[in-house]
């Protein structure tokens, strides 16, 4: 097991992760919008992981984790519980090693997400829609299969994989970025982003964006101790999870501020990006855009990178 | 008045148009999708004019027309009747010359379209929602203002401008394209596309895509005479117009086939692109994608370019 599995990823761990996954991921584009710049008085670049394979940045972490395992370790497959983007990402990543991905999903998961996991070859075990049932069912699946658990964010290989989003963004943008805004749920993307910024763009400040209705990261950050939320109802379904024991200390050390945003402003930001930039982003990504709109004075005159985390929306259920 | 105003655009007219507008338009990206390729057994590239300024290719033609006029010609402004993308495009193009854009719009035009024209500085005169009222009101506006009429498609400068979409696509794609599919309404984009293909990629075949419910181009093409449609109800609102006297002969001479598609398949194609490619395209663009899906055997094994004409959708009225 490489050292990086047991300690905060170093710059060279993130370089290694990027080299490991580069042939399998998309180099996603950075987009700009004159209208967005005019409305915010900023120079904004969006790093568009909605164009990533499986429709979200999660494929980076999942493929780094899967590709890091030895042949012996992976022979019995990988496993996780997830109702969202990590489930699809791990399923596709497992196919790179031709191993099984055992996915525990709540029985009320959306049709679209279940289909995505199936399409990528994941083997689904359904459970009751609560954390206890998810964890118990996962334990059972792991006991039966001998699969390796790949946690969606509380895993240094996952963090190193997600860190490649900001690393790429920094490489793609010629000028120095004053800020990078990333959404925070479990903290895999945010902690990875903050590490890449520390190593590859010191001086850039990392701002986290979080729904008011799932503000565990903000609470934890302010009080310097982990305060999980229980079943928050924000529309930003990717950000309903709470910070993990591995992601929280990295975030405390390397993130400048956490800004929370209302549901109304998440919806407005999503509509803006769909309507004016013509790209589909999911509510969790709109949270980061909303943080810019809600704090115009703070960002005014600055060069701001925003990480668009994904674009998986059940269009049959959408209405503005 | 340059010669090109009165005759079918030549290769050098299209080069000149491209050079004239290059500094003002976006060089829109070409996108690919492994899922789309797998589903159709083709190599498909989408030329994404939904990312063009004003959200549609129409800005190319409008800016070429406006920039081609002399200072004397344009001093009293430009005018058109349009309820759609040409209205917004001409308004923005007119601002490049700091002249008035007088836009006649039906009083039942959607809020979004009226707002877009206003945002780009167009001066709106409302009329009754029928062709007679549109034309009469436009005549009145022109008599009062002395503005130059810029027809949305039956104008060689417009056609030369729209031709730059296919010219760019051909330049952006390394390999030879077997087919280029473009939607057809009034025929400005299609006729321009067919000219660029003839001049810059001979051997590529141009396929037009048209809604069954507005199949005037198909009827006209088959019977070799102009057969307009009256008020068709297709969801592809950009394709409800009929071919013009200038676009029809170019299309007859240079287009290989016209494929018509059902409303159901337009909707399915639009959902596919939104869901899997994460970009917003309007129903008129989905018509071209639907033509590929509905004719898989015809296109199988080929390299196919599809012109995504625009991305202007009233999201508040959308439901899948």
């Amino acid at each position: 097991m490489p050292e990086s599995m047991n300690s905060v990823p170093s710059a060279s761990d993130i370089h290694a992760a990027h080299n490991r996954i580069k042939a399998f991921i998309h180099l996603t584009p950075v987009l700009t919008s004159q209208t967005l710049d005019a409305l915010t008085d900023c120079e904004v670049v969006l790093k568009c992981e909605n164009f990533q394979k499986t429709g979200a940045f999660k494929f980076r972490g999942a493929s780094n984790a899967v590709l890091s395992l030895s042949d012996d370790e992976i022979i019995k497959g990988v496993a996780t519980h997830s109702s969202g983007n990590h489930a699809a990402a791990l399923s596709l990543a497992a196919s790179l090693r031709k191993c099984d991905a055992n996915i525990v999903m709540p029985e009320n998961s959306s049709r679209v997400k279940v289909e995505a996991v199936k399409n990528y070859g994941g083997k689904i075990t359904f459970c009751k829609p609560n954390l206890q049932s998810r964890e118990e069912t996962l334990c059972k699946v792991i006991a039966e299969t001998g699969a390796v658990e790949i946690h969606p964010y509380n895993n240094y290989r996952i963090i190193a994989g997600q860190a490649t989003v900001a690393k790429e963004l920094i490489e793609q943008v010629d000028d120095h970025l004053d800020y990078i805004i990333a959404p925070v749920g479990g903290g895999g993307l945010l902690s990875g982003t903050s590490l890449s910024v520390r190593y590859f763009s010191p001086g850039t400040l990392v701002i986290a964006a979080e729904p008011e209705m799932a503000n565990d990261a903000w609470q934890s950050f302010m009080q310097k101790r982990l305060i999980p939320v229980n079943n928050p109802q924000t529309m930003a379904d990717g950000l309903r999870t709470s910070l993990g024991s591995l992601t929280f200390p990295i975030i405390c050390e390397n993130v400048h501020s956490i800004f929370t945003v209302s549901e109304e402003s998440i919806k407005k930001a999503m509509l803006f990006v769909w309507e004016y930039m013509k790209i589909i982003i999911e509510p969790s990504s709109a949270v980061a855009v909303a943080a810019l709109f809600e704090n115009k004075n703070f960002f005014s005159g600055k060069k701001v990178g925003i990480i668009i985390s994904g674009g998986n929306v059940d269009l049959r259920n959408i209405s503005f």
Side-chain angles (χ1 to χ4, degrees), chain A residues 114-289:
Chain A
V114 172
E115 271 183 18
V117 171
K118 282 185 184 164
N119 284 342
Y120 293 123
K123 296 171 78 170
I124 300 173
T125 306
F126 287 104
C127 68
K128 300 274 174 228
N130 61 63
L131 188 61
Q132 193 191 346
S133 172
R134 285 165 70 143
E135 290 180 343
E136 283 175 9
T137 310
L138 180 60
C139 281
K140 224 177 112 194
V141 166
I142 288 172
E144 284 168 5
T145 59
V148 181
E149 183 184 354
I150 307 287
H151 192 277
Y153 51 87
N154 218 32
N155 174 318
Y156 286 130
R157 288 172 178 168
I158 292 284
I159 294 170
Q162 320 305 30
T164 63
V165 180
K167 175 173 178 285
E168 248 175 47
L169 168 61
I170 292 161
E171 290 164 358
Q172 286 170 300
V173 175
D174 292 333
D175 301 338
H176 175 76
L177 290 166
D178 298 301
Y179 295 102
I180 291 180
I181 309 176
V184 58
L189 177 65
L190 179 61
S191 60
T193 299
S194 71
L195 291 174
S196 277
V197 164
R198 175 168 133 187
Y199 302 139
F200 311 124
S201 185
T204 298
L205 300 177
V206 175
I207 306 290
E210 190 177 40
E212 272 168 23
M213 286 183 70
N215 68 351
D216 70 289
W218 179 78
Q219 288 189 50
S220 304
F221 189 77
M222 298 306 282
Q223 300 192 30
K224 306 289 174 217
R225 64 187 173 92
L226 261 182
I227 302 171
V229 279
N230 188 25
N231 199 26
Q233 292 304 304
T234 172
M235 79 173 82
D237 54 331
L239 308 182
R240 289 179 191 150
T241 46
S242 299
L243 289 181
S245 57
L246 301 187
T247 56
F248 179 54
I250 300 174
I251 289 167
C252 280
E253 198 178 337
N254 300 295
V255 169
H256 179 267
S257 302
I258 299 183
F259 291 166
T260 60
V261 296
S262 68
E263 295 295 298
E264 187 55 30
S265 72
I266 298 170
K267 198 166 182 174
K268 271 191 194 160
M270 189 160 96
L271 181 59
F272 173 84
V273 172
W274 287 37
E275 194 159 27
Y276 285 89
M277 300 191 67
K278 312 298 179 192
I279 60 173
I280 304 257
I281 67 170
E282 59 189 53
S284 303
S285 306
V287 167
V289 181

